[in-house]
Amino acid sequence: MSRHLRIVLVHPPRESDASLRAAALQAGLTEAGYELVASLPADLHLPERIAQLQPDMIIVDAESDARDVLEHIVVATRDERRPIVMFTDDDKTSSMEAALEAGVSAYIVAGLQPERIKPVLNVALARFRKEQKLLHELADTKHKLAERKVIDRAKGVLMARHGISEDQAYQRLRTMAMNKNLKLAEVAQRLLDVEDLLG
């Protein structure tokens, strides 16, 4: 599966593609059987190029201070997250924390040996997938909680307006949802919208 990954290599704009580091990284990727679709400078055009190429993974080659590169990567992956692996010589804790905060899946210091590339990418991909799963679960939980709050408010409105119990209010909402073929939260939101409109 990992051999079908389409990878974009991003490097600081002032570094040339011919740098020894970039050449070693490209050789390691090729040797490991990965498809390197492009080697791009981290500049203002990076988000557009990433959107066009649609890579499965982004590898950042940053020799030292990677702050500028990170800013461009954040913009380029803001709308569509991807696993990001950063190879760097910058071993400052603050740089590592900034990279991880920006969405980097793996921050590798002085680890450019070709035989290490494949395991590093596999771990980064697994970490990225797990993180995305957790983020999806968190978003789903927040959505369900928000729906629950809407339903509880709508029950409160029905209870106050009709002098009924919480169970009766819930049953009314449920019946309305079934009759209109809508989700319970949608009916509850509509009821609250009408209540707000009428004051």
Side-chain angles (χ1 to χ4, degrees), residues 96-165:
M96 179 194 64
E97 289 171 350
L100 294 174
E101 186 67 32
V104 170
S105 306
Y107 187 89
I108 312 302
V109 178
L112 203 50
Q113 300 81 12
E115 66 275 4
R116 286 191 63 205
I117 290 175
K118 184 177 179 182
V120 164
L121 298 190
N122 286 340
V123 168
L125 188 59
R127 181 175 186 263
F128 175 79
R129 286 178 177 153
K130 183 170 182 69
E131 184 179 278
Q132 291 304 297
K133 182 179 178 218
L134 288 173
L135 289 173
H136 178 73
E137 288 172 359
L138 177 61
D140 188 46
T141 300
K142 285 181 176 180
H143 179 72
K144 286 179 180 172
L145 181 60
E147 284 184 339
R148 186 65 187 222
K149 287 180 179 179
V150 167
I151 292 167
D152 285 344
R153 282 183 51 218
K155 286 191 300 188
V157 166
L158 289 175
M159 289 163 58
R161 185 182 290 163
H162 300 288
I164 57 177
S165 71

Side-chain angles (χ1 to χ4, degrees), residues 6-21:
R6 299 179 72 249
I7 295 174
V8 165
L9 177 61
V10 177
H11 54 83
R14 59 193 172 279
E15 286 184 36
S16 71
D17 280 0
S19 75
L20 289 175
R21 185 180 180 82

Side-chain angles (χ1 to χ4, degrees), residues 180-194:
K180 296 186 182 300
N181 201 23
L182 294 171
K183 287 177 140 187
L184 190 60
E186 291 171 328
V187 168
Q189 186 60 59
R190 287 181 180 188
L191 187 136
L192 292 174
D193 291 344
V194 168

Side-chain angles (χ1 to χ4, degrees), residues 57-73:
M57 179 179 283
I58 297 172
I59 296 181
V60 180
D61 175 23
E63 286 189 7
S64 54
D65 188 3
R67 251 175 292 196
D68 293 340
V69 176
L70 272 178
E71 287 176 20
H72 291 293
I73 293 291

